[in-house]
Every structure is written in structure tokens, then in C-alpha cells.
Amino acid sequence: MTSRLHAWVDGPADAPVLVLGSSLGTSGAMWQPQLPALTRQHRVVRYDHLGHGDSDVPAGPYTIAELGHAVLRLLDDLDLPRVSYAGLSLGGMVGMWLAANVPDRIDRMVLLCTSARLGPAQGWRDRAAATRAGGVEAVADAVVGRWFTRGFAASRPEVVAAYRSMLAATPAEGYAGCCEAIAEMDLRDDLARITAPTLVVAGANDPATPIAHARVLADRIPGAGLRVVGDAAHLASVEQPDRVGRLILDHLGGGADPAGAMPTGIASTGTDAVGTVSTGSASTGSASTGAERGGAERPERSGWKERMDG
């Protein structure tokens, strides 16, 4: 039996399509902060990775190629021959595989807080073993500790708690299988084959995928640019929703959304799934933040290729 992915589809039916790939241990609900802005100009597809959320949970280990092929099946099911793609962490890894191996399917791409090779491999194998033995709860505190800066965790404990709950609810086998996919992943030699115009986004305070990983992507993907989001750790799209949403829209060719329009919560949107896809209109949620928490940091490099955003 072929494994299928669950997805939400929101936004105008005739708009350009943007597919969003989430991080390891989250679901498509991770992109709720950006959804109201993105759906003004795009048909947005948010999917749950294999083994995550409401997607199928086959026995692991998985590979990045298997995760990518699952996304291709979803695109075929939705009759989407060519899309733009934005992915954070594991979602970015899948995006790189797609752009390198099926370039005709990816129009433009944004890679956030991700890496082409994220060692050491044994660490990921150990995390997979710990998860199978004790569930995702066994690694949850350590993982969430890398997702947000200390300042955000102190000021928005309810958001951190909600994402921890999302992580802990991830099926253990699915989480472990994706850990094993990351352990074996090495996409560095594939980067030169990416033809989709690409923006790389890094969190200035990301301990999981430090800026050095983003620089490898920007240096090896032809024509790619790099933006560093100040005062953000690994889940930069949650911690700095306005900035990340603006960067995505600008790269896709749309205008920036008005300040304060992107909520920080993770409330679901769309109707209940029928089969593998949920459809509905975007919800703005109730918890919003328009304040910029970052300082006036200087870019770590000069020139157009790398710039600090906030």
C-alpha cells in the first residue's frame, strides 16, 4: 500500500500554488502564523510529513527521497504540475530534494532554518532509538529548547507549550523514521542542480541549524540569496512571523503584508479532512504580534548575497 500524506488547502482556487513543508516534530499547523497573509495571493497547501500529524505512519527508517516522493504523490493527487515551495528544517530538506530531482515541478523556493547535511549521524540514530523506546516525550524538552530563544520562551510560554504538545503528539515511529532519514541525508552534491530561484533564511540564534549551514546552501545553489532573521531560533517562522512571511512573499513576487496581520498561534484552519486533504478559508486566529523584537544587528557579510533582516 502506498503511503499518503494529509494536507490542508486554503486560498483562492485560481491563485498560484505555494506548498509549505514543516519541521521535524510538527504538522502543517506550524504555518498558521503566515496563512492569512499567504492566502491573499496564493493557493496554499500545507502537508504533514510522512509519519507526522494525520499522514500515514509506515514503519521506518525513512529516507529523504521517500519523503519527497510522498509529496510528489500528493501534488499528483491534487493535480498540481508545478508549484512554489517553502520549507523549514525537515521541510526544507524535502524541498531541496524536490528541486534537485524534479526541477520541472518547483517554480520558486524558500529554505528556512535547514541544512543539506546535518550530522553527526549517530546522534540522529540515538534520538530515533530513544523515541522508539520512550515515545517523543522522551526527547521533547531537549528539542523544544532549540526551537525558541530564551526571550520568546519567557514572554510567550503559551505558544511554547502549544508547540511542545504538537511535538509530543507526533507518532513515535514517524518521528524516529524521519530522524533516520536525516541521519543518512547528504544533499550537498545536489545543490548545484537546483534551478528554481531560491531564498535561504536563517535564524540568527538557531542552535539546531546554525548560520554556517545556511551559507553552504546559499553558496552552492546557483543564484541563491541569504537572509538572517534577528532574534529567532529554529522555528523562526513562529518566533518572527511577520518578518518570515514578508520574506516569503517578497521572494515569490508578492507585496509585504501589513504589519501585525500574522498571528503567532497554531489554531487549525479548514474543514475536517476527507481522505487526505482539508479545504477551507484562512483563519486569522486571536493571538497576534506585530512588534519587532530584534535589534539593529549588522550583517555578518557585506554584499547582496547575505543580509540581516531585523
Side-chain angles (χ1 to χ4, degrees):
M1 179 178 177
T2 301
S3 298
R4 295 290 176 181
L5 301 184
H6 172 265
W8 297 263
V9 180
D10 296 277
D14 59 348
V17 177
L18 170 63
V19 176
L20 298 175
S22 51
S23 72
L24 175 68
T26 68
S27 72
M30 188 199 83
W31 293 102
Q32 178 66 22
Q34 284 73 40
L35 193 62
L38 295 178
T39 53
R40 286 186 174 90
Q41 302 177 45
H42 295 86
R43 185 73 163 165
V44 177
V45 178
R46 298 171 295 148
Y47 70 90
D48 297 338
H49 287 295
L50 205 64
H52 285 58
D54 292 321
S55 291
D56 290 347
V57 188
Y62 310 154
T63 66
I64 296 297
E66 287 171 340
L67 300 179
H69 279 295
V71 174
L72 287 176
R73 287 192 293 272
L74 175 65
L75 298 183
D76 291 341
D77 289 344
L78 296 175
D79 192 24
L80 299 174
R82 188 171 176 85
V83 302
S84 290
Y85 185 99
L88 188 147
S89 189
L90 179 60
M93 297 168 190
V94 173
M96 284 181 272
W97 184 91
L98 291 168
N101 288 278
V102 284
D104 58 310
R105 306 296 297 267
I106 305 299
D107 185 27
R108 303 182 75 85
M109 183 165 62
V110 182
L111 302 173
L112 303 104
C113 302
T114 192
S115 176
R117 174 63 174 163
L118 193 58
Q122 190 57 48
W124 291 104
R125 298 185 192 109
D126 292 345
R127 191 190 300 191
T131 300
R132 287 195 176 96
V136 181
E137 182 67 37
V139 300
D141 287 338
V143 171
V144 173
R146 293 187 288 270
W147 278 2
F148 304 105
T149 61
R150 290 183 180 180
F152 184 86
S155 64
R156 301 302 302 273
E158 76 286 357
V159 175
V160 176
Y163 278 85
R164 190 190 187 285
S165 295
M166 185 190 296
L167 170 65
T170 304
E173 183 61 23
Y175 187 89
C178 286
C179 286
E180 290 162 331
I182 296 172
E184 303 305 318
M185 175 195 70
D186 189 347
L187 300 171
R188 290 173 294 183
D189 290 341
D190 296 338
L191 299 178
R193 295 191 285 116
I194 293 175
T195 58
T198 299
L199 175 67
V200 181
V201 179
N205 308 110
D206 182 1
T209 52
I211 296 173
H213 292 260
R215 289 181 179 138
V216 171
L217 306 183
D219 288 343
R220 297 194 183 188
I221 297 174
L226 171 58
R227 300 295 178 267
V228 180
V229 178
D231 204 9
H234 193 53
L235 294 193
S237 62
V238 178
E239 196 159 0
Q240 299 293 350
D242 293 342
R243 295 187 207 169
V244 170
R246 184 184 69 244
L247 288 170
I248 293 172
L249 283 170
D250 286 351
H251 183 66
L252 297 182
D257 198 65
M262 299 184 197
T264 311
I266 58 170
S268 63
T269 184
T271 59
D272 290 338
V274 179
T276 61
V277 179
S278 300
T279 59
S281 59
S283 168
T284 58
S286 59
S288 63
T289 174
E292 296 287 356
R293 285 179 291 270
E297 300 96 333
R298 295 182 181 274
E300 297 189 14
R301 286 183 179 178
S302 60
W304 70 271
K305 197 170 186 68
E306 178 176 332
R307 297 176 185 168
M308 179 70 76
D309 187 89

